[in-house]
Amino acid sequence: MSASGRWNVTALPLFRPLWQRFQALPRPLPEDSIALRVLVQSMVVVGIIATDVAAETQMSLWAVPLSLIGATWSWRRRHDRNIVTKFCLAIAMIVALVIFLANLFTTLNDTRLILAELLIQVQVLHTFDLPRRKDLGYSMVIGLILLGVAGTIGQTMVFGPFLIVFLGLAIPALMFDYRSRLGLTRSNLRAKPQRRSMAAFRRSWPWKATLTLILAVLSLGLVLFALMPRVPGYQLRSFPVSTTIELQGRFDGRNIVSPQGRAEGEEVDGQGQENAPEGAGELDETYYYGFSDRINQNLRGMMKPKVVMRVRSQAPGFWRVMAFDEYTGQGWRISRSDDVRTIDRSYWTFRFTLPFIDSRSYTQEVIQTYSIVSDLPGVVPALDQPRFVYFPTEQIALDREGSLRSPVFLADGLTYTVISAVSKRDRTRLGDASTDYPERIRAFYLQVPDSIRDRLRTFTESVLAESPKPLTNPYEKSLYLAQYLKQRYHVPDNPFALPFLEEDEDLVDLFLFRCEGISDPAVCSPGGYPDHFSTVLTVMLRSIDIPARLATGFAPGQFNPFTGLYEVKNTDAFALTEVYFPQHGWFAFDPIPGHEIVPPSVSDYEPFGVLRQFWDWLAGWLPSPVTGIIGRLFELVGRGLDWLLRLFMTGWFGVLAGLLLLVSFGFAGWLSWQGWREWHRRRWLSKLHAVERLYQQMLRTLAAEGFRKHPAQTPLEYADRARNRYASEVAESIDAIVRAYVSWRYGGATVDVRSLEQRWQTCRSKQRRFFR
């Protein structure tokens, strides 16, 4: 008990030695630079807001105000020990850890966001105790980490402005941190005889150098970003998945859930027309008509472009959704739509393991993560053939055509991951594939309406007969027919140009023979709408006993090199033809004009694809003559390298001659580089202030003797080290130049440069053994 009659814990024998030891500790030196504190806090705020925007949360609503309050508190209490505050902060950090562990247990699929939330909580608490410069350094690192988290979570270019703002704050913050290490805070400067106004301080700040450094860092970053090879990622098997979606009711996978039926709880087709798969009509402006168990190709109209999903994938491809086996004359249907297999997953994992529908050889694993940004029907886009699916429901379904069905429609914000065993496309192997098709293939994928079978077969065989070389296998025939349709038929510009099909008319027959006998394209232009081309190719292949089916899905979309995501729109949806090759599986052919015959696949992956895309974008802005000159330069370099390679392959004389040329070019390049460096150094020195020029010349002279200044050293630290190496007269001369430079550079003082130069020259003449 203390003298006042109150209990004092520190007076107890157990706590008295600890308290005395704590009181004996030196107080931490506080950081008095207001500018440094403001810049560091701004960096933290940018990191918090960037993470908040990327994750689409509201953490910044409480984190930013509390962080600002904490920064103000730490500034006002920077000279105090703040024992009670530290104790409360320790308790609060333990609470934050408990909350983090609880969230970690319930969100095992993607821990990035809850880790970022923990980091934000720790940083907010940390802002209440920032007396030292080292603590501000921790906050800068936390802000950088938060910005990195925002970059990994974000899927749009919104992250870019935050990165630029952060860079614009970080460079001045590092400069103020350096000034603080020199002891040149604003308060210290005011304590000196030469007081400076704020206006003078702003005038003395190197704004031009700061802006130049920011632009240089941005440019270098963009160059490194473009040159960096894109190695396939997903080395860690923890994939992004939305939180579990609880399903109400029973799911058997037979029906496809559409977003348009969600209000009434009913299931409608992908065309937005309940139980209306046949007959003339108009296309829905939002949803692609081919994501249902039936396709009606007697529709006219067009969709309004809208981004529906973003995909992160190790390789681009056709994001396959559905496939159809029965041609109806004016569309397609899945004849075995009720033959669906439901698959359950374990409670403790999001992974579904799918069976192989077709055994395939020469496959490559490709991982894709899909983020839905606009509602889609309850069918799951994926590269063919999916092996593992990480999906937020407890059940999914797999039909006989290899399509995945979800018990819920794919709502905005849903995320899932698919691991597919994509078949490698080898023209030689597929050309040698057997034509002995199993009965399960012949029974469903050779169906052609009897009304057009004979006429279509005769026409298809006559087309193949026009080939300049014999077509001996189904693969070459498929390629030839796809190219034939591309070249001979056209897509009308007007989406309502073609008349609707009558009830007894066949789409394929009308497509191929509607303009038969009419040579004037103004009267009749042969062709149809894009998906009609795929329907025609599929039925033509069937007519000559090549198994084929129609598949619908999305093109890869527009790749964004800054986010690493493929941005897919509803207008990227289309249909193509899949052809079956025994022992190899199904392979796609695209006969639509303007599309590649072979869709992108794993063999098309380019590690330096971003650099190529950047050049394509840049070439689109440059004038044609400039693009031509740059192209010719690259061509000359390529020819030179090719000539040098052929020289090495001519024998020993060629090897020696090639090595001599390389050494000569290398030596000439080294001489040129040294000459350019010396010229650039002299030019740079001529533009410097006399004090800085003397300081830089001194550093160069001492560096030539082996006494280099480390980049992390301050000038004053460098001068202190010189006392241990040089004689007192030389060391004092170095110290005088350094202090004059620091006082001019950071204090705006006037310096007698001439006397310093004379002193330096006198030392050099007296101490020749130090300056050689």
Side-chain angles (χ1 to χ4, degrees), residues 399-415:
D399 65 20
R400 296 302 295 269
E401 308 302 329
S403 304
L404 296 171
R405 302 185 182 184
S406 166
V408 296
F409 67 91
L410 307 188
D412 179 12
L414 185 142
T415 300

Side-chain angles (χ1 to χ4, degrees), residues 298-363:
N298 195 16
L299 304 177
R300 303 293 182 265
M302 60 187 302
M303 293 185 293
K304 293 181 178 179
K306 179 182 181 182
V307 176
V308 294
M309 64 181 182
R310 296 186 178 96
V311 185
R312 186 183 303 278
S313 176
Q314 292 177 308
F318 179 68
W319 317 122
R320 187 178 183 273
V321 178
M322 302 287 294
F324 305 86
D325 63 331
E326 183 178 343
Y327 175 61
T328 62
Q330 296 185 4
W332 293 84
R333 65 182 293 267
I334 302 175
S335 63
R336 297 170 290 177
S337 183
D338 294 338
D339 189 1
V340 178
R341 176 178 178 179
T342 58
I343 303 172
D344 300 319
R345 64 170 173 85
S346 301
Y347 174 77
W348 52 272
T349 180
F350 286 89
R351 190 177 80 169
F352 293 89
T353 301
L354 306 181
F356 272 116
I357 296 180
D358 297 298
S359 59
R360 301 183 180 184
S361 58
Y362 307 105
T363 61

Side-chain angles (χ1 to χ4, degrees), residues 94 104 212 240 256 280 303 327 443 527 582 632 648 673 676-677 690 715 759:
I94 295 175
L104 184 64
T212 303
I256 298 174
M303 293 185 293
Y327 175 61
R632 282 193 290 272
F648 273 101
W673 171 249
W676 182 86
R677 287 183 59 187
R759 184 176 179 180

Side-chain angles (χ1 to χ4, degrees), residues 159-342:
F159 169 74
F162 288 104
L163 178 62
I164 296 175
V165 172
F166 188 88
L167 177 63
L169 294 171
I171 290 179
L174 294 175
M175 297 173 71
F176 273 106
D177 180 76
Y178 185 73
R179 293 168 63 92
S180 180
R181 294 176 188 273
L182 293 174
L184 299 174
T185 59
R186 186 181 170 191
S187 60
N188 290 341
L189 291 175
R190 285 184 172 178
K192 295 180 180 181
Q194 296 180 353
R195 296 171 58 105
R196 298 192 307 159
S197 65
M198 194 62 189
F201 177 79
R202 287 195 296 266
R203 288 195 300 269
S204 65
W205 181 259
W207 300 106
K208 183 177 179 181
T210 304
L211 182 59
T212 303
L213 184 58
I214 293 175
L215 294 177
V217 172
L218 276 176
S219 302
L220 181 61
L222 290 174
V223 171
L224 293 177
F225 179 82
L227 295 177
M228 185 184 303
R230 264 54 181 179
V231 180
Y234 292 108
Q235 304 302 320
L236 299 177
R237 296 290 166 139
S238 179
F239 302 118
V241 188
S242 300
T243 55
T244 301
I245 300 175
E246 299 295 337
L247 178 63
Q248 303 295 330
R250 180 173 173 271
F251 173 65
D252 57 13
R254 296 182 179 181
N255 298 310
I256 298 174
V257 182
S258 173
Q260 296 132 314
R262 64 182 182 271
E264 297 78 21
E266 59 189 10
E267 294 173 346
V268 298
D269 65 11
Q271 306 166 30
Q273 306 175 36
E274 184 179 2
N275 301 321
E278 302 294 343
E282 291 188 10
L283 288 172
D284 188 278
E285 293 183 345
T286 304
Y287 299 99
Y288 178 64
Y289 75 105
F291 298 154
S292 176
D293 57 358
R294 293 173 179 266
I295 288 184
N296 177 14
Q297 294 189 302
N298 195 16
L299 304 177
R300 303 293 182 265
M302 60 187 302
M303 293 185 293
K304 293 181 178 179
K306 179 182 181 182
V307 176
V308 294
M309 64 181 182
R310 296 186 178 96
V311 185
R312 186 183 303 278
S313 176
Q314 292 177 308
F318 179 68
W319 317 122
R320 187 178 183 273
V321 178
M322 302 287 294
F324 305 86
D325 63 331
E326 183 178 343
Y327 175 61
T328 62
Q330 296 185 4
W332 293 84
R333 65 182 293 267
I334 302 175
S335 63
R336 297 170 290 177
S337 183
D338 294 338
D339 189 1
V340 178
R341 176 178 178 179
T342 58

Side-chain angles (χ1 to χ4, degrees), residues 478-765:
S478 301
L479 283 177
Y480 186 84
L481 290 176
Q483 188 64 39
Y484 174 84
L485 293 176
K486 282 176 175 287
Q487 295 177 350
R488 299 294 183 90
Y489 298 89
H490 309 283
V491 177
D493 296 330
N494 185 355
F496 297 94
L498 297 179
F500 289 104
L501 299 174
E502 298 296 336
E503 185 175 353
D504 58 344
E505 289 182 320
D506 184 274
L507 171 64
V508 175
D509 185 75
L510 202 65
F511 182 99
L512 295 173
F513 308 115
R514 179 169 57 91
C515 297
E516 191 174 27
I518 303 176
S519 58
D520 187 1
V523 178
C524 182
S525 179
Y529 299 116
D531 288 355
H532 295 177
F533 285 77
S534 300
T535 292
V536 172
L537 176 61
T538 304
V539 180
M540 289 178 70
L541 290 171
R542 289 183 171 191
S543 70
I544 55 175
D545 298 326
I546 297 178
R549 66 186 180 190
L550 190 82
T552 58
F554 294 96
Q558 182 67 36
F559 180 72
N560 188 332
F562 294 98
T563 62
L565 300 174
Y566 295 91
E567 298 179 351
V568 185
K569 299 180 179 179
N570 56 350
T571 51
D572 291 322
F574 70 101
L576 48 67
T577 299
E578 292 184 341
V579 181
Y580 182 77
F581 298 89
Q583 306 302 320
H584 298 283
W586 297 89
F587 286 85
F589 295 84
D590 189 351
I592 300 175
H595 292 195
E596 296 291 337
I597 291 182
V598 177
S601 64
V602 291
S603 59
D604 296 333
Y605 177 74
E606 298 180 4
F608 294 94
V610 173
L611 183 61
R612 179 185 57 80
Q613 292 181 6
F614 177 76
W615 166 246
D616 293 341
W617 173 81
L618 184 61
W621 289 91
L622 293 176
S624 299
V626 176
T627 307
I629 292 173
I630 297 176
R632 282 193 290 272
L633 287 176
F634 279 111
E635 183 180 358
L636 290 175
V637 172
R639 288 181 180 179
L641 293 176
D642 181 66
W643 176 83
L644 187 62
L645 181 61
R646 284 190 279 107
L647 180 63
F648 273 101
M649 299 177 62
T650 57
W652 285 107
F653 177 78
V655 172
L656 294 176
L659 290 176
L660 181 62
L661 284 175
L662 289 178
V663 171
S664 301
F665 279 119
F667 183 68
W670 178 80
L671 287 178
S672 302
W673 171 249
Q674 293 298 323
W676 182 86
R677 287 183 59 187
E678 182 63 23
W679 171 83
H680 184 268
R681 188 186 71 85
R682 292 178 180 274
R683 186 170 178 269
W684 171 65
L685 287 175
S686 65
K687 296 181 178 180
L688 298 179
H689 190 274
V691 181
E692 189 172 5
R693 181 165 58 248
L694 177 61
Y695 173 72
Q696 294 294 339
Q697 288 173 341
M698 181 195 71
L699 291 181
R700 180 179 175 84
T701 302
L702 297 179
E705 300 172 3
F707 185 58
R708 295 182 178 275
K709 178 183 176 297
H710 193 276
Q713 278 184 325
T714 65
L716 296 178
E717 292 172 345
Y718 180 71
D720 290 338
R721 280 187 56 211
R723 297 182 182 277
N724 300 325
R725 179 181 177 93
Y726 295 103
S728 59
E729 186 176 2
V730 178
E732 290 176 0
S733 178
I734 294 174
D735 184 75
I737 295 175
V738 167
R739 291 188 179 278
Y741 167 74
V742 171
S743 62
W744 166 82
R745 180 68 177 81
Y746 301 103
T750 303
V751 179
D752 186 1
V753 182
R754 184 175 297 276
S755 63
L756 290 174
E757 288 179 343
Q758 292 176 354
R759 184 176 179 180
W760 178 246
Q761 294 297 332
T762 303
C763 289
R764 293 190 61 185
S765 61

